[in-house]
């Protein structure tokens, strides 16, 4: 049987043009990016402006107290580069301290779980080195939305309602920001954040201290804003406020350990991408301090198989994809982290061939990481019971039914000069930790992705980055970027991207056809987020895959959860056609928030 043809219906067209294309998880960010391109900015100016808007308009999905992973390629570069915006664990964040606090997991909400915020410094670094605009021009869009207001999206209103009791009883600074009149906001209501607008004004003011009008002066102005972020009001207010005990996801009260010195010690940076070929295309990801290389391993496991085994819309393909993902994600959890991870061994042809033999006709219920170079893999705690739930969980991923309970953002931009950016900002969700009153935002909880068992690359260690789920992708051919793609979704980010990549590269789908097509993912791995449970043989599917396929998966032993017709996947993408150079963009329609724009 051949590859399933694309559906006749798409929710919108794949956009095409020659000037510039933007796509993101919120229409205001997409419109902002496109507005910057229209005013002569490049893809980097546009991405940074859009990213700061996302901090304001999707506060339940990301914030300035969070982090980001980006991947980009300039028009004159021969290879992509990773933008590293993941801050490390503070100096006081030791396993011993957390154990003394009576914890066996890092909480999913509360200031004790805060890594050093990395997103703002990373965006300003990208602006300095590859953009053309000044700090004030780029931040003007976000400042206006924060000060003048923007319509609250339905999911943000729902998130506030979900944690309202916590805000009322303990996180009263969050109540004051998000329920200022003592009531729940409703979807579409205009909300404002003057405190955050003032923080951004402070960055602009700091940049104005440098008077040189040339490129040296511009770089110095941006560095002045970065310095203000790392050493000024933000660092001191955040450290002071979170040092006061407050409720965490576990129900207990703890003080944060982050200090102003932790802020000052971190700088965002660049890293080379990890790249592997798949059927004539080069797929580039960030390193093993993210989950990105697991996508490369999954593609490598699938590459030599027949086309029907790579087709998510056929039972045998859906099964094979789920089983390959489980193997790659087991290796992720056994080996990945901010350490010297042996990716050569994990992507070695002989190792992959051995792993491929483990894909049988039935769903595995085991956690099966591989042993590399004679080393024993780390087996994380395998919990199937979350224990008592707390309203403070702040879980940012997609629950077992596919319902979003907060999440992450994503943006992609390509300009007429050939610059291309894909970035996934996240963390600092409004439900992460108490709002810092003077700042108008909270810090993130990325440390929940670390383990309190020592001796592993993902063990909690001061100065070490938590292994993040943020994982944008850049696809090239012969060194020339073809498209940038990414998705929110926690552990599902690369799983959903995998489906789009397979459908586009193997099935010949257009980008919008691939994004709209029905999705599925596995939950048969320890979640990266508190309370870090797993579902042996778990598979979540969209009903549009059809009863025959879904029943067939169940017959093979998958623990199937039906998630509705349009619930899984948040993918967006932009790119350039190789034959004529036409630019294109596509975005996810699920949730009615993501949009692409361009001309």
């Amino acid at each position: 049987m051949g590859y399933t043809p694309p559906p006749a219906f798409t929710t919108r067209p794949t956009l095409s043009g020659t000037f510039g294309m933007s796509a993101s998880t919120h229409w205001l960010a997409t419109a902002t990016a496109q507005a910057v391109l229209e005013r002569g900015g490049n893809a980097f100016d546009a991405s940074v402006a859009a990213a700061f808007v996302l901090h304001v308009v999707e506060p339940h999905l990301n914030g300035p107290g969070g982090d980001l992973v980006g991947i980009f390629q300039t028009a004159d570069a021969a290879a992509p580069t990773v933008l590293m915006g993941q801050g490390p664990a503070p100096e006081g964040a030791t396993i011993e301290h957390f154990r003394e606090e009576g914890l066996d997991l890092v909480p999913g909400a509360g200031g004790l779980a805060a890594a050093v915020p990395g997103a703002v410094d990373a965006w300003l670094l990208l602006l300095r080195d590859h953009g053309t605009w000044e700090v004030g021009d780029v931040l003007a869009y976000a400042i206006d939305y924060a000060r003048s207001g923007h319509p609250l999206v339905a999911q943000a209103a729902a998130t506030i309602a979900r944690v309202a009791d916590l805000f009322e009883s303990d996180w009263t600074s969050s109540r004051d920001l998000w329920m200022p009149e003592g009531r729940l906001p409703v979807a579409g209501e205009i909300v404002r954040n003057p405190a955050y607008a003032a923080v951004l004004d402070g960055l602009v003011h700091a940049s104005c201290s440098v008077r040189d009008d040339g490129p040296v002066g511009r770089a110095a102005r941006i560095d002045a804003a970065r310095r203000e972020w790392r050493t000024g009001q933000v660092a001191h207010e955040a450290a002071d406020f979170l040092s006061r005990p407050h409720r965490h996801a576990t129900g207990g009260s703890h003080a944060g350990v982050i200090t102003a010195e932790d802020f000052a010690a971190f700088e965002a940076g660049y890293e080379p991408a990890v790249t592997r070929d798949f059927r004539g295309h080069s797929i580039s990801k960030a390193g093993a301090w993210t989950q990105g290389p697991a996508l490369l391993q999954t593609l490598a496991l699938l590459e030599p198989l027949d086309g029907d085994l790579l087709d998510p819309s056929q039972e045998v393909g859906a099964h094979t994809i789920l089983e390959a993902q489980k193997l790659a994600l087991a290796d992720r959890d056994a080996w990945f982290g901010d350490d010297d991870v042996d990716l050569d061994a994990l992507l070695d042809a002989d190792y992959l061939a051995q792993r491929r033999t483990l894909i049988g006709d039935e769903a595995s219920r085991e956690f099966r990481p591989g042993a590399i170079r004679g080393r024993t893999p780390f087996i994380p705690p395998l919990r199937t019971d979350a224990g008592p739930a707390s309203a403070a969980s702040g879980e940012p991923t997609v629950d077992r039914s596919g319902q979003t309970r907060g999440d992450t953002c994503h943006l992609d931009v390509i300009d007429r000069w050939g610059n291309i950016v894909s970035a996934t900002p996240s963390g600092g969700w409004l439900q992460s930790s108490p709002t810092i009153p003077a700042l108008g935002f909270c810090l993130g909880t990325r440390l929940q992705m670390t383990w309190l068992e020592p001796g592993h690359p993902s063990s909690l260690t001061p100065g070490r980055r938590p292994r993040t789920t943020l994982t944008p992708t850049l696809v090239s051919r012969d060194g020339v970027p073809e498209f940038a793609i990414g998705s929110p979704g926690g552990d599902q980010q690369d799983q959903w991207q995998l489906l789009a990549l397979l459908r586009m590269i193997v099935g010949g789908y257009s980008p919008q056809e691939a994004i709209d097509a029905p999705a599925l993912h596995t939950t048969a791995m320890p979640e990266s987020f508190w309370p870090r449970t797993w579902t042996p043989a778990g598979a979540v599917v969209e009903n549009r895959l059809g009863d025959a396929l879904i029943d067939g998966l169940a017959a093979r032993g998958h623990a199937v959860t039906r998630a509705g017709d349009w619930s899984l996947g948040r993918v967006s993408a932009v790119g350039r056609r190789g034959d004529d150079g036409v630019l294109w963009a596509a975005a996810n329609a699920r949730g009615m928030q993501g949009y692409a724009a361009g001309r």
Side-chain angles (χ1 to χ4, degrees):
M1 181 176 179
Y3 210 93
T4 302
F9 168 79
T10 59
T11 58
R12 68 278 298 267
T14 299
L15 304 183
S16 60
T18 57
F19 177 79
M21 292 283 164
S22 309
S24 82
T25 49
H26 194 290
W27 63 88
L28 291 180
T30 298
T32 296
Q34 202 62 26
V36 172
L37 294 180
E38 294 288 351
R39 289 177 54 193
N42 66 17
F44 305 105
D45 301 313
S47 296
V48 176
F52 278 92
V53 167
L54 285 173
H55 289 165
V56 178
V57 301
E58 291 193 321
H60 59 307
L61 306 182
N62 80 142
D67 33 54
L68 78 89
V69 179
I71 188 165
F72 66 90
Q73 190 162 341
T74 61
D76 58 354
T81 298
V82 171
L83 175 64
M84 192 287 292
Q86 176 58 64
E91 283 302 306
T94 64
I95 290 175
E96 293 74 20
H97 178 75
F98 279 65
R99 293 291 189 184
E100 289 168 1
E101 293 284 307
L103 300 168
D104 59 0
L105 285 174
V106 178
L112 189 57
V116 179
V120 168
D121 192 56
W123 286 124
L124 293 177
L125 176 69
L126 186 69
L127 178 68
R128 184 196 72 183
D129 294 341
H130 299 289
T132 64
W133 281 24
E134 295 284 351
V135 173
D137 296 324
V138 164
L139 297 186
Y141 301 87
I143 291 171
D144 183 62
Y145 283 125
R147 179 164 288 126
S148 302
H150 61 92
L152 189 70
V153 294
Q155 282 294 339
T159 299
I160 295 167
R162 197 172 295 121
V163 293
D165 290 345
L166 170 66
F167 286 5
E168 289 280 10
S169 65
D170 195 280
W171 294 5
T172 55
S173 58
S174 298
R175 176 202 63 198
D176 294 343
L177 176 61
W178 299 111
M179 303 161 60
E181 299 174 357
R183 63 170 179 82
L184 292 171
V186 297
E189 179 177 343
I190 297 296
V191 296
R192 297 172 177 84
N193 192 339
Y196 183 47
V199 168
L200 296 180
D201 279 338
L203 300 185
V204 176
H205 180 75
S207 74
C208 293
S209 62
V210 179
R211 299 298 182 185
D212 184 334
D213 290 335
V216 173
R218 176 182 171 277
R221 281 189 288 278
I222 296 173
D223 279 340
R226 296 175 65 204
R227 207 160 39 246
E228 170 62 25
W229 172 266
R230 296 199 310 269
T231 64
Q233 177 197 22
V234 169
H236 291 279
E237 290 283 357
D240 177 68
F241 183 75
L242 290 176
S243 67
R244 307 165 199 172
H246 53 278
R247 184 179 171 190
H248 281 58
T250 54
S253 185
H254 309 277
V257 296
I258 196 166
T259 67
E261 290 74 22
D262 292 316
F263 276 81
F266 171 76
E267 290 192 39
Y270 305 114
E271 297 183 1
V274 180
T275 299
R276 194 183 191 284
D277 289 345
F278 175 78
R279 300 204 172 187
H281 301 260
S282 295
I283 317 297
S284 294
K285 304 291 288 183
W289 54 275
T290 76
Q291 65 174 329
L295 174 64
L296 302 182
Q297 191 184 65
T298 308
L299 287 168
L301 288 168
L302 295 172
E303 183 167 21
L305 304 181
D306 292 339
D308 59 339
L309 300 178
L310 278 64
D311 184 353
S313 295
Q314 296 185 49
E315 177 195 321
V316 65
H319 166 75
T320 302
I321 290 166
L322 289 169
E323 293 302 294
Q325 287 176 327
K326 286 154 66 172
L327 293 172
L329 290 169
D331 277 351
R332 178 199 74 174
D333 290 323
W335 299 108
F336 285 18
D338 188 12
D339 204 352
D340 185 17
V341 178
D342 194 347
L343 289 177
D344 288 340
L346 289 169
L347 295 172
D348 176 76
D350 291 339
Y351 176 76
L352 292 166
Q354 179 270 324
R355 298 286 280 162
R356 201 176 290 116
T357 65
L358 299 178
I359 301 175
D361 294 331
E362 303 294 321
S364 170
R365 298 186 59 84
E366 301 175 27
F367 180 77
R368 298 184 293 177
I372 58 173
R373 304 196 195 281
R375 297 165 56 197
T376 301
F378 170 72
I379 305 296
L382 298 175
R383 308 164 188 263
T384 55
D385 181 7
S390 166
S393 70
E395 166 123 15
T397 57
V398 178
D399 75 14
R400 300 301 189 184
S401 71
Q403 173 65 37
T404 303
R405 296 182 289 171
D407 203 328
T408 292
C409 302
H410 185 77
L411 64 88
D412 306 288
V413 183
I414 187 170
D415 64 30
R416 62 189 185 274
W417 300 290
N419 303 301
I420 188 168
V421 181
S422 182
T424 310
S426 188
W429 316 284
L430 65 84
Q431 66 274 28
S432 294
S433 59
T435 297
I436 303 154
L439 305 181
F441 62 85
C442 60
L443 298 195
T445 53
R446 190 64 63 181
L447 295 187
Q448 67 184 290
M449 296 185 176
T450 65
W451 295 105
L452 298 182
E453 286 76 22
H456 179 259
S458 284
S459 301
L460 177 64
T461 306
R464 179 184 281 177
R465 295 168 294 184
R467 195 274 301 149
T468 182
T469 51
L470 308 180
T471 178
T473 305
L474 197 142
V475 178
S476 305
R477 188 191 288 267
D478 300 324
V480 178
E482 280 194 308
F483 59 95
I485 188 170
S487 175
D491 292 305
Q492 287 78 50
Q493 288 183 23
D494 272 338
Q495 298 197 57
W496 294 337
Q497 289 182 69
L498 172 69
L499 304 181
L501 291 170
L502 292 174
R503 283 168 166 145
M504 291 171 68
I505 294 173
V506 182
Y509 286 40
S510 74
Q512 194 63 51
E513 289 170 342
I515 289 171
D516 283 346
L520 76 165
H521 64 260
T522 181
T523 54
M525 72 287 172
E527 289 183 298
S528 295
F529 299 93
W530 185 89
R532 310 210 71 174
T533 57
W534 81 309
T535 304
V540 182
V541 301
E542 284 187 324
N543 295 345
R544 290 183 297 131
L545 286 166
D547 290 343
L549 185 154
I550 295 170
D551 292 344
L553 290 178
R556 290 173 181 264
H558 294 276
V560 176
T561 298
R562 289 175 177 253
D565 289 340
W566 292 88
S567 57
L568 307 182
R570 311 281 185 270
V571 176
S572 66
V574 300
R576 181 190 299 273
R577 293 201 310 234
D579 54 348
D580 57 9
V582 167
L583 308 180
W584 58 261
N588 167 59
R590 299 167 179 87
M592 297 184 292
Q593 250 181 253
Y595 281 88
R599 67 173 179 87

